[in-house]
Amino acid sequence: MALYTIGEVAMLCDINPVTLRAWQRRYGLLKPQRTEGGHRLFTEADIDRIREIKRWVDTGVQVSKVQTLLNNEPENMRNGWRAQQEVVLQYLQSGNLHRLRLWFKERSQDYPAQTLATHLLIPLRQRLKCEQPALLVLLGVLDGVLINHICCCLNSARKKNGRDALVVGWNIQDTTRLWLEGWMACQQGWRVDVLAHSLSHLRPEMFEGQTLLVWCGESPSALQQKQLLEWQAHGYAIYPLGI
């Protein structure tokens, strides 16, 4: 079993070591192992938990309330999703993309997009986002298969009754998350197209007559939220995603 120092975990999770110590000491969210010298050591499960905590905090949940949210998900359910992540990793590592595409199709029949994104795809992509080139290659392959699958889902949704909309990323870095948001939106009754590149400056007047579903990332700035409300007040059909 691999063990990681607090410095390594801070780098993998893009978080300050001081914050990790506070989550452990003040809030009891983490229980790392210790070396004989008293240094913290974290497992893969600890890293997954840290990323889950970070996702809750990034969406605006107070750290003091995260423990309750974590406890609401049974351990066997968390382990079940972790096992499914491992299945996807095996397909990626073996290069069996045909089976991976079939697997995604089967899971999409069992679970809604929101559930798959929250419990499977976002955590798995976080695991693959690191400095190791081999894992970044796997992330690229996963994203390609995932976007292809989502495109098929969006095309099928266009054959049904619904409201047309354009999914737009506003000042974001992770464009694959934009496709995930579009996938979730199409299951909420929207017939969506996705603007493939993020916009650093959003000008709704350039999309006259279109409904815009805007993804600003996990933590949209106060300025972005204020601007979206102002545009709505001026009559633009523009709605935030993930807020």
Side-chain angles (χ1 to χ4, degrees):
M1 180 178 63
L3 295 174
Y4 302 83
T5 66
I6 193 169
E8 290 170 331
V9 172
M11 183 179 298
L12 288 170
C13 299
D14 190 24
I15 193 168
N16 195 305
V18 174
T19 301
L20 293 175
R21 295 188 186 98
W23 287 357
Q24 178 199 346
R25 293 172 177 170
R26 188 179 305 173
Y27 301 105
L29 294 172
L30 303 172
K31 296 179 180 179
Q33 301 179 32
R34 297 275 187 171
T35 66
E36 292 183 0
H39 298 292
R40 294 172 178 83
L41 291 176
F42 296 84
T43 64
E44 289 278 1
D46 291 327
I47 291 174
D48 287 344
R49 185 177 179 85
I50 289 166
R51 286 171 172 159
E52 187 175 1
I53 295 167
K54 190 171 184 288
R55 283 195 297 274
W56 283 116
V57 172
D58 286 345
T59 57
V61 176
Q62 296 179 10
V63 179
S64 59
K65 297 181 179 179
V66 170
Q67 183 71 269
T68 302
L69 296 170
L70 295 174
N71 290 340
N72 283 339
E73 186 179 30
E75 184 68 26
N76 61 344
M77 184 178 295
R78 287 198 295 271
N79 291 339
W81 286 114
R82 178 67 182 223
Q84 296 202 52
Q85 291 179 37
E86 296 300 326
V87 171
V88 176
L89 279 175
Q90 289 175 11
Y91 289 141
L92 289 171
Q93 291 168 338
S94 65
N96 195 345
L97 302 188
H98 173 68
R99 188 64 190 91
L100 179 58
R101 285 189 285 268
L102 291 177
W103 192 89
F104 273 137
K105 184 176 180 180
E106 292 166 359
R107 295 291 80 71
S108 296
Q109 294 170 351
D110 296 334
Y111 301 100
Q114 177 78 48
T115 300
L116 288 174
T118 301
H119 297 287
L120 175 65
L121 298 170
I122 294 175
L124 177 57
R125 293 185 70 248
Q126 287 292 340
R127 289 175 63 186
L128 296 175
K129 286 181 180 178
C130 67
E131 299 295 327
Q132 299 180 32
L135 294 185
L136 290 176
V137 170
L138 294 182
L139 176 62
V141 175
L142 172 63
D143 283 358
V145 172
L146 182 58
I147 291 172
N148 183 269
H149 173 74
I150 292 173
C151 285
C152 292
C153 294
L154 300 188
N155 285 332
S156 296
R158 291 191 191 97
K159 300 174 184 178
K160 304 174 183 178
N161 292 329
R163 300 161 290 174
D164 293 327
L166 180 65
V167 175
V168 179
W170 183 12
N171 204 23
I172 64 168
Q173 301 297 321
D174 187 353
T175 52
T176 300
R177 279 299 307 272
L178 187 63
W179 287 94
L180 284 172
E181 292 296 324
W183 186 24
M184 288 184 273
C186 91
Q187 292 195 351
Q188 295 169 0
W190 295 99
R191 297 189 305 188
V192 307
D193 289 288
V194 178
L195 194 66
H197 299 286
S198 174
L199 300 176
S200 57
H201 301 285
L202 180 59
R203 296 173 55 189
E205 66 271 15
M206 296 179 64
F207 303 93
E208 185 175 355
Q210 296 189 66
T211 297
L212 301 183
L213 305 180
V214 182
W215 168 246
C216 303
E218 293 283 4
S219 302
S221 68
L223 181 61
Q224 285 176 315
Q225 295 185 58
K226 179 182 178 182
Q227 184 64 77
L228 288 169
L229 290 174
E230 290 181 358
W231 282 327
Q232 288 177 341
H234 283 86
Y236 289 107
I238 184 168
Y239 306 98
L241 289 168
I243 300 178

